[in-house]
Amino acid sequence: MKKCTSCVLPETHETISFDKTGSCNICNQVEIQKENIDWNKKKQELHELVENYKGKYDYDCLVPFSGGKDSTWAVYYLVKVLKLKVLVVRFNHGFMRPNLNDNTTKVFRELGADFHDFTPNWKIVQKLMLQSFLEKGDFCWHCHSGVFSYPMQVAVKFNIPLIFWGEPSAEYTSYYSYDQPEEVDEKRFNRMVNLGISADDMYVRLGGQVDKRDLSPYRYPKLKDLRRINYRSVCLGSYIRWDVKKQSKIIADELGWSGDRVENVPEEYSYEKIECYMQGVRDYIKFIKRGYTRPSHLASIDIRNGRMSRDEAVLLVKKYEGKEPPSLEIFLELVGLTKEEFYQISLSHSVSPWNFDINNIEKGEKLHDFDKWSRDGKMKREDSEKQIKTWSLRNNN
């Protein structure tokens, strides 16, 4: 399988392409960030943008929040540096880890900000997880759709036109480049967030198993309603240079935010994806489908920032990637699948030329808080079988 000659991302990475030297477009566009972007000018644009909204509404801006490094840094910067009155909105996906919840309490007590926390119906979440896994080999539709649509609904409801997200997508993919304006709007939502499945599409795919109203949290607001409040939805990282290692240290030192281990991720990346105890399963599915996972992504960022050599990255990837995570047993219980079904479904979504070796599976290690990860609300086998049967009949499988 071909990999970038500069970083370690493979040809199965979404939106990737290679130049004549074998270097990928992600590496090349990060060079744009380093060399062609006038960050002083961008920061001035940020101040001008903020001044258009500051003090004119009940809140100066809204910040969608997971509790991870990027959203915590965004809240920190907007509250502490820009002195804004912020409404923080969290869509709780159902898999928050104990340390994440402790972090959230510490952060808001240190900073001082209003916090709107929404948890959707768990029974609906289970159906959505199973359906999106069947359809796309990705069980996180409910999380991504909810995280990006629900805060926008809150912005409309409370008349908060300015919405700040964290890092721009150019850090990881080529859906957008650093020299291309990236509005976090419905076009972006449909392009790179919801797996090509809208809330109405999901209702149809579930075959009437849920009430249409149950999918409201995952439905992007109508454009006429967003225009009515004169909204701007942007990435903070489009205006200030994003550096997760520096930012993680600042929020740790000043807010008491602490990192955590993540399944099959090196300990030195303890700031990465600490908010979800299903992260190991999602990464593992990506490995089955595409032949790489989070260590490749993280090592590639370090290579681009001069913190790691490519040879070191290759060794790191070999050591950590592709192990079956202990959290898989929890995932299977929560969506009512057998392990055989899990592998069958995952392999049906594999991306050529990668071929996963199902006969050579290595087990990953349990993390320190594994026994605290909730297994409550398991899906009944008869419910999952019914859902799988409906999906199979619709797809003639």
Side-chain angles (χ1 to χ4, degrees), residues 218-242:
Y218 313 95
R219 188 171 286 111
Y220 207 83
K222 294 179 179 178
L223 183 58
K224 66 177 183 179
D225 293 329
L226 291 167
R227 284 177 172 169
R228 175 174 51 79
I229 66 170
N230 194 28
Y231 85 113
R232 283 294 306 279
S233 178
V234 298
C235 297
L236 182 60
S238 295
Y239 298 95
I240 61 173
R241 190 165 178 173
W242 216 253

Side-chain angles (χ1 to χ4, degrees), residues 40-186:
N40 289 327
K41 182 180 178 182
K42 286 289 185 181
K43 189 173 287 189
Q44 181 59 37
E45 291 175 5
L46 173 61
H47 285 279
E48 291 171 359
L49 173 65
V50 165
E51 285 303 313
N52 289 330
Y53 297 91
K54 189 174 183 179
K56 298 178 182 178
Y57 304 89
D58 288 343
Y59 294 94
D60 297 325
C61 66
L62 180 149
V63 181
F65 179 84
S66 68
K69 64 188 187 311
D70 297 306
S71 59
T72 301
W73 169 257
V75 175
Y76 167 87
Y77 191 89
L78 294 166
V79 172
K80 192 127 182 179
V81 179
L82 296 186
K83 311 296 183 184
L84 300 182
K85 181 174 175 58
V86 173
L87 177 63
V88 182
V89 178
R90 181 172 73 177
F91 179 91
N92 188 327
H93 48 61
F95 304 107
M96 299 295 180
R97 294 177 66 180
N99 178 57
L100 187 283
N101 289 323
D102 291 342
N103 277 341
T104 299
T105 299
K106 286 186 285 188
V107 164
F108 290 123
R109 289 188 175 181
E110 284 295 325
L111 280 179
D114 290 351
F115 182 38
H116 177 108
D117 193 14
F118 173 76
T119 302
N121 183 328
W122 173 247
K123 295 301 181 185
I124 303 302
V125 166
Q126 285 177 292
K127 291 182 181 295
L128 296 175
M129 287 173 61
L130 178 55
Q131 194 67 31
S132 64
F133 182 49
L134 292 168
E135 302 276 358
K136 297 292 184 176
D138 184 344
F139 64 87
C140 297
W141 183 91
H142 83 284
C143 177
H144 294 151
S145 295
V147 162
F148 280 89
S149 62
Y150 183 76
M152 300 302 291
Q153 295 178 20
V154 174
V156 170
K157 183 175 182 179
F158 289 94
N159 192 32
I160 310 171
L162 182 59
I163 301 98
F164 276 112
W165 304 82
E167 77 281 18
S169 65
E171 283 283 300
Y172 313 118
T173 67
S174 282
Y175 286 110
Y176 296 88
S177 175
Y178 264 104
D179 57 355
Q180 178 184 9
E182 183 176 353
E183 296 283 331
V184 188
D185 54 13
E186 187 172 14

Side-chain angles (χ1 to χ4, degrees), residues 205-223:
R205 292 175 190 231
L206 282 168
Q209 296 183 53
V210 299
D211 189 313
K212 207 166 189 176
R213 294 173 297 176
D214 291 328
L215 296 173
S216 293
Y218 313 95
R219 188 171 286 111
Y220 207 83
K222 294 179 179 178
L223 183 58

